Amino acid sequence: MTHDRFEVVVEVVPPSGADAEPLLAALEGINDLSFNGFSVATNPVAKPRMDALSLCRILQDELKRPATLHVTTRDHNRLSLQGILWGAKALGIKGVLVMTGDFVPLAEKGITSSVRDISLTDLIKMARKAGLTTGVVMNPFTDELRLGIAMKRLKEKVAAGAQFVVTQPVYTARDAELLAEALNPLGIPAHLGLLPLRTFRHAAFLHHKVSGIEVPEEVRSAMAKAENPTAEGIRLTRDLLATARQHFHGACIMPPFDHFEILHGVLPREGNTGPTSK
């Protein structure tokens, strides 16, 4: 089941500060690759970053590709969220990805609070009413119990008006296919999350420390044994992207730690049919 309008977006984390030029320079380096747009995170891991809405507009103006805005219930009250959604629409942002947002670290709760003035389903409805294409995220569990829980939550989001879903990263074709089988009956486009691995330590950290991401033992072992772990991570991502083309409507690639150069080994150049040989 190959989808004719398969879309690839690249996730971007805004800079820690007011200067977007280094990030723009890095993204210029991949702007000749074949992908459809950007997906802009908002204060990931509950750390302050440049306003995601501002960066969306900068990316659209400078790189001429659409940007999807991440909006969380964590950071704003109802008034502010409504203003952000209307502002996004006014600035030419067509899509938003809504989520609760990462939890504030326990060590910072004394100086940073989570707002969560409205529920996620309320935010979905608000985004739809503002005229924005609205997506949601899900954890890609493949064991029966946790997948059932994740699907129940996702169905509630779809009932509230969610129009597409982006998964957290997966690392085997088997897991991607199981996930697609569960998602396809929902009737909305599903985009597979892909986070390229760079080292064995990176794989182990994601598996043990990052909620919602599981890197199977076989993949961690392959990274540990690889002569060139980064090349192995690129190969794995390229293979999973091929799997996504068969079973999903799109993919969201999340380059780790702003290593956008990895994408030269994953994505073809504009007009080409396969990835570069790097």
Side-chain angles (χ1 to χ4, degrees):
M1 180 186 64
T2 302
H3 295 285
D4 294 334
R5 298 185 62 185
F6 187 85
E7 292 191 348
V8 176
V9 298
V10 174
E11 184 169 291
V12 176
V13 175
S16 179
D19 185 8
E21 288 305 316
L23 176 60
L24 283 174
L27 294 175
E28 284 280 7
I30 64 165
N31 212 29
D32 63 337
L33 299 180
S34 181
F35 64 99
N36 299 90
F38 299 103
S39 187
V40 182
T42 181
N43 298 330
V45 298
K47 298 290 186 181
R49 294 277 178 168
M50 177 186 288
D51 173 54
L53 176 56
S54 299
L55 184 61
C56 280
R57 182 55 189 263
I58 291 170
L59 293 177
Q60 292 194 164
D61 287 349
E62 298 296 326
L63 300 181
K64 311 304 181 187
R65 295 182 191 257
T68 296
L69 171 68
H70 294 199
V71 183
T72 73
T73 61
R74 177 196 59 209
D75 297 339
H76 304 276
N77 67 13
R78 182 183 296 270
L79 294 174
S80 181
L81 286 169
Q82 184 66 82
I84 288 169
L85 295 171
W86 283 338
K89 183 69 173 178
L91 290 174
I93 308 303
K94 295 182 178 180
V96 292
L97 189 64
V98 302
M99 60 197 76
T100 56
D102 298 319
F103 289 105
V104 174
L106 185 62
E108 296 187 12
K109 283 187 176 290
I111 57 173
T112 303
S113 62
S114 294
V115 181
R116 305 198 192 282
D117 194 27
I118 65 173
S119 69
L120 186 62
T121 54
D122 285 341
L123 181 54
I124 293 168
K125 294 173 183 177
M126 188 183 288
R128 287 295 307 274
K129 191 172 181 180
L132 295 159
T133 301
T134 305
V136 293
V137 298
M138 77 165 293
N139 292 332
F141 301 125
T142 53
D143 62 276
E144 185 175 354
L145 176 61
R146 291 189 298 165
L147 179 59
I149 294 171
M151 289 302 300
K152 181 177 183 293
R153 291 173 179 167
L154 181 56
K155 288 175 182 177
E156 292 170 353
K157 297 174 187 179
V158 173
Q163 294 167 286
F164 67 96
V165 58
V166 180
T167 77
Q168 286 274 46
V170 301
Y171 286 97
T172 69
R174 179 187 65 253
D175 286 349
E177 291 164 5
L178 286 171
L179 197 57
E181 185 178 349
L183 291 171
N184 283 335
L186 287 179
I188 63 171
H191 300 247
L192 186 67
L194 302 174
L195 198 170
L197 300 173
R198 298 189 68 240
T199 64
F200 167 72
R201 289 183 64 186
H202 181 211
F205 175 81
L206 290 174
H207 180 73
H208 294 293
K209 300 294 185 181
V210 179
S211 176
I213 298 181
E214 296 180 349
V215 183
E217 194 280 331
E218 65 197 82
V219 175
R220 285 177 278 140
S221 178
M223 291 296 293
K225 295 175 182 177
E227 183 176 342
N228 185 333
T230 299
E232 175 66 13
I234 290 172
R235 182 200 64 77
L236 175 65
T237 304
R238 191 167 59 237
D239 290 349
L240 284 167
L241 181 59
T243 298
R245 290 185 185 278
Q246 294 296 318
H247 300 282
F248 288 80
H249 294 80
C252 178
I253 307 179
M254 311 163 190
F257 315 115
D258 289 346
H259 282 282
F260 297 104
E261 74 281 356
I262 284 175
L263 297 181
H264 286 281
V266 175
L267 297 173
R269 289 195 174 92
E270 292 280 11
N272 289 355
T273 56
T276 62
S277 58
K278 288 186 180 180

